[in-house]
Every structure is written in structure tokens, then in C-alpha cells.
Amino acid sequence: MTERKSSGSKPVKPAKKAGAKLPVREQISAGGVVFRGEKERTEAVIVSVGGQNRWQLPKGLVEAGEKPETAAVREAREEAGVDSEVVQHLLTIEYWYAGLDGGERVRFHKHVHFYLLRYRAGETADHDWEVNEARWVPIDDATQQLTFDSERRVMERARQLLT
């Protein structure tokens, strides 16, 4: 392809053809349902992120060489301010989205591994800067407060196991 010239003197990259396929990048994330208490008194942590204050479960990218279980515990510490331990795997969700990777527009094929995480210590006020707020909520209410259907399914699975 040849470069076109704009009305100025700088070369302009050719426009992409409509319908051109974006490159695909695989992404692996992990997170979980951190819980405390038992039966009717069980609570779970949810976090608010972004300008729209989306309520979701703490989660993030698995780092190179890191196991998903380790990433889930790390992300709960970073995003929710709490230390936890893995009880069991809950669900893995999969979805696609478009975004930027190093300035290039790509399609991400994402897998998120969710775990049931038992609270050990910490305060939700100690969350990191990426999170607007972290809070404990009764597990029976948590499902309805989450923004994404896929995470509602994860929370419902945790609720079934815990109550």
C-alpha cells in the first residue's frame, strides 16, 4: 500500500478497509469472591471502579509466571484491601472486547478465573488507587449490586456454596 498525502505535506497512513479483522490477543485474569462470616451472616467484598462506578468483583491480569490462584489473592489484596486464601475454584468466564495494545487496536479474548476466597485480615479502606470504593455487603444482596451478568453468576455460585 502506498501512503497518501493530506492537504498538508505530512504523509498519512492509508485508511483501514471496512470490515478488516483486528489482531487477536489472549488475556488471562483472576479474581474472586472474598467472604467472611457464615450462613445468614455471610458477607462478600465488592469494588467500585471507573467513572461510571461499576460494582464488580476484585480481579486483574495474571502476571507472567504467576498462577491464577495467586493472582486472585493478590488482586483481592490490591483492589479490596483484604488478605484472603483460596477455598476453591468457582467459575471461569470468557468474553471478547476491543481495546488498545501498545497503541494498536486489537480484539482481546479474555478468560477470567474466579475463586472462592476466605477473608483472613485487612480493611476495605486500604484498597489501591484503581478502585473508587471497596465494601462488605451481605452475600444475599451482593448479586443484585454487581454490574455484569457474568459476575452475578459467579456471586450466585459462591452464595449457593456458603449459605
Side-chain angles (χ1 to χ4, degrees):
M1 281 178 128
T2 58
E3 293 181 342
R4 332 179 250 119
K5 296 262 186 189
S6 67
S7 55
S9 60
K10 289 184 176 180
V12 176
K13 289 185 181 180
K16 288 192 176 193
K17 291 180 183 178
K21 291 191 177 192
L22 296 175
V24 173
R25 303 285 190 273
E26 298 291 326
Q27 257 188 356
I28 306 294
S29 288
V33 176
V34 182
F35 75 95
R36 67 180 182 187
E38 51 189 61
K39 301 291 179 191
E40 297 82 33
R41 296 187 323 267
T42 303
E43 295 179 303
V45 172
I46 59 175
V47 299
S48 169
V49 300
Q52 301 85 19
N53 288 316
R54 294 182 319 264
W55 287 97
Q56 59 189 50
L57 296 170
K59 65 182 176 302
L61 293 173
V62 175
E63 295 175 357
E66 187 178 39
K67 293 182 178 181
E69 298 90 336
T70 304
V73 169
R74 176 180 52 76
E75 289 293 337
R77 176 68 190 111
E78 291 173 4
E79 292 194 355
V82 296
D83 294 321
S84 61
E85 63 187 353
V86 173
V87 175
Q88 71 179 69
H89 181 263
L90 288 171
L91 290 171
T92 298
I93 60 172
E94 172 186 3
Y95 59 93
W96 293 83
Y97 72 98
L100 295 176
D101 183 20
E104 177 185 22
R105 188 148 173 80
V106 300
R107 287 188 71 211
F108 288 101
H109 183 206
K110 187 160 191 161
H111 292 82
V112 186
H113 302 284
F114 284 102
Y115 296 88
L116 186 60
L117 304 170
R118 181 179 290 113
Y119 169 76
R120 295 181 65 189
E123 297 294 330
T124 54
D126 293 334
H127 62 78
D128 71 11
W129 63 271
E130 294 177 313
V131 170
N132 301 324
E133 181 184 352
R135 68 167 65 150
W136 288 103
V137 296
I139 199 163
D140 290 336
D141 299 336
T143 302
Q144 291 76 29
Q145 293 182 34
L146 294 170
T147 301
F148 302 111
D149 288 338
S150 57
E151 291 191 9
R152 288 188 200 117
R153 287 193 306 273
V154 172
M155 183 63 77
E156 185 57 26
R157 173 76 175 124
R159 191 188 66 74
Q160 290 168 356
L161 291 169
L162 295 169
T163 59

